[in-house]
Amino acid sequence: MSDGRDVHATTAPPETLDSRGMREPGRVWELALEPDFDSLDDDLKRYIEVCRERLGLIPNVISANALDSERLRTFADSYNRLMLGEGSLSKAEREMIAVAVSSINRCFYCLVAHGAALREITGDPILAEAIAFNYRAADLSPRHRALLDFTAKLTADPAGMDESDRAALRTAGCDDRTILEVAEVAAFFNMSNRIAAATGMLPNPEYHALAR
């Protein structure tokens, strides 16, 4: 799936080790701005180290937000609440929403990164790939189809949202708290997609082969 950019921009340089022995993610984006890990607050340095330990890499979106502590903390708090916190949506459903939004927006970074996450969480690369290309072609439960129909309209036609869209989710068994969660996750990734597109953000190369 091409995002219209030159082929050379889809591959980041090999990772290297910094002075502390941490793996650095290579080129993060097309901006002439570098993450400043050393300037971050201590808890955020630990957050990055935990990411590296658990994932085997530092996601480029985290490196991009590591220009200063306030920026990274804002991103991490929002992401962790919406994608990892307690709620009505399962982790797989949250990743489905992220991938569906990113597919509509043709966001290279988020399709690669969250496509990998969805493959890993579901153990079903066919389902994950179908949602990445066109969720309407995927074999979805009535609940999941309703979630992604709502997500797609909110992404492509937000001014067209009305009570019928909320009613469709209620018919699929979603309460109003779930509707709010779907809206929040979809809105977060619409924002993230636009920042990634504006900055030419590059996915970590490891994501491409993950869970296939």
Side-chain angles (χ1 to χ4, degrees):
M1 183 173 177
S2 172
D3 69 337
R5 294 191 293 150
D6 292 342
V7 172
H8 81 274
T10 66
T11 303
E15 291 191 332
T16 58
L17 297 180
D18 68 8
S19 60
R20 297 158 295 162
M22 291 182 62
R23 296 172 69 192
E24 294 191 350
R27 192 155 55 92
V28 173
W29 49 16
E30 298 291 351
L31 301 182
L33 298 171
E34 298 290 337
D36 188 7
F37 298 123
D38 289 332
S39 73
L40 298 175
D41 295 342
D42 287 343
D43 63 316
L44 294 174
K45 291 178 183 177
R46 178 57 186 160
Y47 172 72
I48 290 174
E49 178 64 15
V50 169
C51 288
R52 187 189 67 80
E53 291 172 355
R54 292 182 178 176
L55 304 175
L57 55 85
I58 303 171
N60 281 351
V61 68
I62 291 178
S63 294
N65 280 282
L67 298 175
D68 59 73
S69 290
E70 182 178 6
R71 178 176 277 102
L72 180 56
R73 195 181 305 281
T74 298
F75 171 82
D77 286 349
S78 296
Y79 181 89
N80 290 343
R81 182 179 76 83
L82 294 174
M83 298 301 286
L84 304 177
E86 295 295 324
S88 302
L89 298 172
S90 70
K91 289 184 179 180
E93 288 170 340
R94 299 176 208 201
E95 292 294 350
M96 287 179 183
I97 293 168
V99 172
V101 168
S102 302
S103 176
I104 293 167
N105 290 329
R106 300 172 64 189
C107 177
F108 179 50
Y109 182 94
C110 290
L111 273 176
V112 172
H114 290 279
L118 185 56
R119 292 194 302 270
E120 190 168 39
I121 289 172
T122 63
D124 188 345
I126 294 175
L127 174 65
E129 296 285 77
I131 294 174
F133 282 99
N134 175 10
Y135 81 89
R136 294 176 181 85
D139 184 13
L140 298 171
S141 68
R143 172 184 166 95
H144 290 163
R145 187 162 298 279
L147 291 177
L148 297 189
D149 282 343
F150 187 92
T151 293
K153 184 171 179 181
L154 182 59
T155 299
D157 182 24
M161 299 296 292
D162 58 27
E163 181 55 28
S164 67
D165 300 299
R166 295 180 286 277
L169 280 184
R170 294 188 184 106
T171 298
C174 298
D175 61 17
D176 283 5
R177 182 174 294 276
T178 305
I179 294 172
L180 178 58
E181 288 180 20
V182 175
E184 287 180 317
V185 174
F188 179 83
F189 280 95
N190 271 291
M191 178 190 72
S192 295
N193 287 176
R194 282 154 178 76
I195 294 173
T199 61
M201 193 177 294
L202 304 172
N204 302 67
E206 292 92 336
Y207 287 133
H208 293 283
L210 185 64
R212 291 191 182 277

